[in-house]
Amino acid sequence: MRLVLLGPPGAGKGTQAAILSEKLGVPHISTGDLFRANIGEGTPLGLEAKSYMDAGNLVPDDVTVRMVESRLEEDDAKAGFLLDGFPRTVPQADELERILKGLGLDLDGVVQFDVSEDVVVERMLARGRADDTEDVIRNRMQVYARETAPLLDHYADKVIKIKAEGTVEEINAATMAELDKLK
Ligand code: ADP
């Protein structure tokens, strides 16, 4: 199955993606995790991404798209994938379409994790990642509203909306039930 996971920062995409990846047998591809791995290894890509991430801004599309393209070309992605954190802008969605077309593939669905702003701020402050300070969180929320939320219209015919405010298990069960309908 080839899915895009969408939702504001702190919506729990990463947590749900890890479980879904196991159950569906497809890799979880998180751009945030790929960037953080590059930062950890001190690669040129990591050095470039870090200043944007620390401020809660988006890493430029060209850098991000190249990283995702090479990841999608790896063998394990042939079975399908869960994209977490990409696309995050309409131009990135257009690039994804180009990449998939080149591979002769199409998306099966776009899972939207719907959650209120209060809940996401609470979750992120509890998580305590380097870019989870209050100012940076606020900026990331604004960037989401401005750059990423338009993707819900862009993908209107593919969106599967999940209410993402219960327990981790409840949200996973709701997602699996919806995905079963795609088969
Ligand atoms: P969250 O889901 O909490 O926003 P992520 O780990 O997905 O956290 O992303 C952290 C940061 O990584 C973002 O704020 C941004 O700087 C960068 N990033 C991740 N994905 C993308 C992307 N597709 N385009 C540009 N920047 C990205």
Side-chain angles (χ1 to χ4, degrees):
M1 204 171 267
R2 286 175 287 274
L3 301 172
V4 164
L5 309 182
L6 265 188
K13 293 187 297 291
T15 304
Q16 292 299 324
I19 304 171
L20 287 172
S21 165
E22 184 126 325
K23 290 195 176 174
L24 300 172
V26 297
H28 168 204
I29 300 178
S30 157
T31 42
D33 288 350
L34 290 172
F35 284 132
R36 281 184 289 275
N38 275 278
I39 291 171
E41 290 160 15
T43 69
L45 177 81
L47 287 178
E48 174 158 13
K50 189 175 186 316
S51 57
Y52 295 99
M53 292 177 72
D54 284 347
N57 293 322
L58 295 182
V59 179
D61 281 351
D62 59 333
V63 180
T64 307
V65 168
R66 255 183 289 132
M67 178 177 77
V68 172
E69 184 159 18
S70 64
R71 180 65 188 84
L72 286 175
E73 285 165 1
E74 285 179 36
D75 265 355
D76 63 344
K78 294 205 165 65
F81 51 77
L82 300 170
L83 274 176
D84 165 13
F86 184 92
R88 238 179 172 93
T89 65
V90 172
Q92 288 183 7
D94 292 337
E95 288 293 308
L96 176 60
E97 205 179 320
R98 172 188 65 75
I99 294 167
L100 292 180
K101 212 174 233 167
L103 296 168
L105 302 173
D106 200 4
L107 286 178
D108 295 305
V110 174
V111 179
Q112 176 196 358
F113 292 106
D114 188 34
V115 57
S116 75
E117 189 163 332
D118 285 350
V119 171
V120 299
V121 172
E122 204 175 289
R123 283 183 189 166
M124 280 189 282
L125 288 174
R127 179 168 79 174
R129 211 171 64 194
D131 58 347
D132 282 343
T133 62
E134 204 164 336
D135 283 356
V136 175
I137 289 173
R138 200 165 293 130
N139 188 41
R140 277 159 51 211
M141 300 294 289
Q142 281 170 7
V143 170
Y144 176 81
R146 192 176 62 232
E147 305 280 351
T148 310
L151 288 175
L152 296 171
D153 279 338
H154 181 87
Y155 284 129
D157 56 341
K158 286 199 158 74
V159 168
I160 301 161
K161 189 168 173 172
I162 304 291
K163 184 129 195 60
E165 291 190 356
T167 65
V168 169
E169 292 74 21
E170 283 165 353
I171 298 165
N172 173 254
T175 309
M176 291 301 289
E178 287 299 319
L179 294 179
D180 269 342
K181 297 182 192 165
L182 287 181
K183 286 179 188 156

